Amino acid sequence: METKYLQFNSADLSLAGELIRQGELVAFPTETVYGLGANALDVRAVSSTYVAKGRPSDNPLIVHVWDKSQIYEIAREVSADAEKIVDQVMPASLTVVLPKRDTISDVITAGLDTVAIRMPSSVQAREFLRYAQVPVTAPSANLSGRPSPTSWQRVRDDMDGRVAAILCGEDCNVGIESTVLDLSGAHPLILRPGVVTAQQIEQVLGKSVEVVTNPKSKVNSPGVRYRHYAPKVPMALDLSGDVAKLTAYYDGLVKQGFTPVLLVEQPQSYGNRNVYPIGSTDEQVAQALFENLRILEEKYDYIVASFTSNTAFGQSILNRLVRAAGNNII
Ligand code: TXA
Ligand code: MG
């Protein structure tokens, strides 16, 4: 199929909305990463998302809305905690998991009795969703397993010819996917960490929130051996920032015949080796992370990343880095 490249003007937004209602796929910007949108009320459209991405169908999708009232049409039950989050936190880079209504297909939820709902903070995302007039399922708009796209050009790299249209909006300013907060059980759980932290949720709810995805404990867990966010070349991850250690590792790779690159916090410390700045604040690191992996995989054949932040947001970034490196922690 020939993919249309659409702009943020009312004619193109109208067309994007029409395409969604006709059951076509439209990629669109959000503040976290670009999403691959489909009409959540059209099972055939939703199913085609899995095909376009090459995504396993046992991984459920997030339903995106532009207006809070839609949440009540999608969720069967909005608990007092959920209401606080909806009222006080949304729109945000946050997805809430709530019990689903029967109108939400098993194809979206992979057979679960719950549904993930997100109201993005990006104005462009909400504008597109408003033109769509229906709730929109959207996974990240990358081929399954690849780093998530944070610009429309990266969506084009993966999805040209596979989707009806790509809305050419702004680059994403958060850069990693939304926090997934499960409010469907007895205790609030963060299933995927993001820029909205457990502490922020705890302040709103006045109770503790458990983070299930602790990247440090997952390093040794057998369940996370699959690669996600992976560049095309091998990648190693260091958590110490130790210049001597990284230098020795790099030099060892060179001896083996690799052309590696160090993606590090202090690129100036590595002499004339191949270096690339990972960023000096959590915000910078997150915003550029997936783009950096896509840039470096084209020029080098081994990426050695180093990241040391211990903040809550830093832990969310680390979660992506550990997966991108396929748990190859040095
Ligand atoms: O920032 C984001 O969330 C982006 C943008 C496009 O909004 N979307 C995104 O979608 O990251 P995706 O499909 O790449 O990730 C969806 C995550 C997966 O980890 C999935 O397992 C989880 O949400 N999820 C979806 N429905 C769920 C449910 N009912 N229960 C638990 N987890 C769920
Ligand atoms: Mg994804």
Side-chain angles (χ1 to χ4, degrees):
M1 89 177 49
E2 194 180 330
T3 300
K4 291 187 170 69
Y5 289 83
L6 305 179
Q7 308 302 317
F8 272 82
N9 56 54
S10 56
D12 279 10
L13 282 163
S14 296
L15 176 55
E18 211 170 288
L19 287 167
I20 286 288
R21 291 189 301 281
Q22 286 168 2
E24 301 289 344
L25 300 179
V26 178
F28 65 99
T30 85
E31 76 283 6
T32 57
V33 301
Y34 269 70
L36 183 56
N39 180 353
L41 306 177
D42 178 342
V43 176
R44 200 191 48 79
V46 174
S47 304
S48 70
T49 318
Y50 291 96
V51 179
K53 269 192 70 116
R55 174 178 172 121
S57 58
D58 60 355
N59 195 359
L61 300 174
I62 298 170
V63 180
H64 294 67
V65 301
W66 76 93
D67 189 88
K68 290 181 181 181
S69 66
Q70 293 175 287
I71 297 167
Y72 296 81
E73 292 161 17
I74 295 166
R76 183 174 73 234
E77 210 181 289
V78 179
S79 64
D81 280 352
E83 211 166 288
K84 283 185 194 160
I85 298 294
V86 171
D87 291 347
Q88 295 174 46
V89 185
M90 288 186 177
S93 303
L94 175 71
T95 295
V96 289
V97 174
L98 298 173
K100 77 170 189 78
R101 281 188 192 270
D102 289 343
T103 45
I104 299 300
S105 156
D106 281 346
V107 174
I108 296 174
T109 66
L112 297 172
D113 188 38
T114 55
V115 57
I117 308 173
R118 164 155 140 78
M119 184 177 183
S121 63
S122 153
V123 171
Q124 287 192 338
R126 290 210 307 278
E127 188 75 342
F128 159 69
L129 294 166
R130 191 166 63 80
Y131 274 88
Q133 299 171 19
V134 290
V136 170
T137 52
S140 49
N142 51 282
L143 290 173
S144 192
R146 297 275 298 139
S148 303
T150 52
S151 67
W152 69 262
Q153 291 91 341
R154 293 307 187 182
V155 179
R156 178 183 59 190
D157 290 347
D158 280 18
M159 290 296 161
D160 186 58
R162 304 173 78 93
V163 299
I166 295 172
L167 262 169
C168 303
E170 59 208 3
D171 290 356
C172 306
N173 63 31
V174 174
I176 64 171
E177 304 84 348
S178 63
T179 303
V180 177
L181 173 66
D182 186 350
L183 292 173
S184 69
H187 307 287
L189 303 173
I190 287 182
L191 303 181
R192 179 175 71 183
V195 65
V196 177
T197 62
Q199 202 192 1
Q200 286 171 267
I201 304 292
E202 282 170 349
Q203 266 165 14
V204 173
L205 297 183
K207 61 169 81 165
S208 72
V209 174
E210 194 187 338
V211 183
V212 180
T213 320
N214 180 338
K216 285 204 169 143
S217 71
K218 273 204 158 185
V219 170
N220 295 315
S221 123
V224 273
R225 282 203 204 96
Y226 69 93
R227 292 192 89 186
H228 203 152
Y229 315 120
K232 292 181 211 158
V233 300
M235 176 169 164
L237 177 63
D238 159 74
L239 308 175
S240 72
D242 181 338
V243 172
K245 177 185 159 191
L246 282 159
T247 302
Y249 195 84
Y250 177 103
D251 292 347
L253 289 170
V254 171
K255 275 206 189 104
Q256 292 173 54
F258 286 106
T259 307
V261 60
L262 295 163
L263 179 61
V264 289
E265 286 159 341
Q266 284 166 338
Q268 68 282 3
S269 310
Y270 296 89
N272 58 7
R273 293 174 183 81
N274 301 322
V275 290
Y276 207 81
I278 196 169
S280 42
T281 62
D282 289 343
E283 285 72 19
Q284 284 175 5
V285 174
Q287 186 178 31
L289 180 62
F290 293 134
E291 177 62 19
N292 286 342
L293 297 181
R294 284 178 180 251
I295 291 171
L296 296 178
E297 71 182 6
E298 297 299 337
K299 293 179 68 180
Y300 304 100
D301 58 15
Y302 211 115
I303 299 171
V304 182
S306 172
F307 184 64
T308 59
S309 165
N310 278 318
T311 63
F313 188 24
Q315 294 304 301
S316 308
I317 296 166
L318 190 54
N319 170 275
R320 297 341 188 254
L321 278 165
V322 167
R323 286 161 177 247
N327 281 337
N328 183 19
I329 315 286
I330 59 174

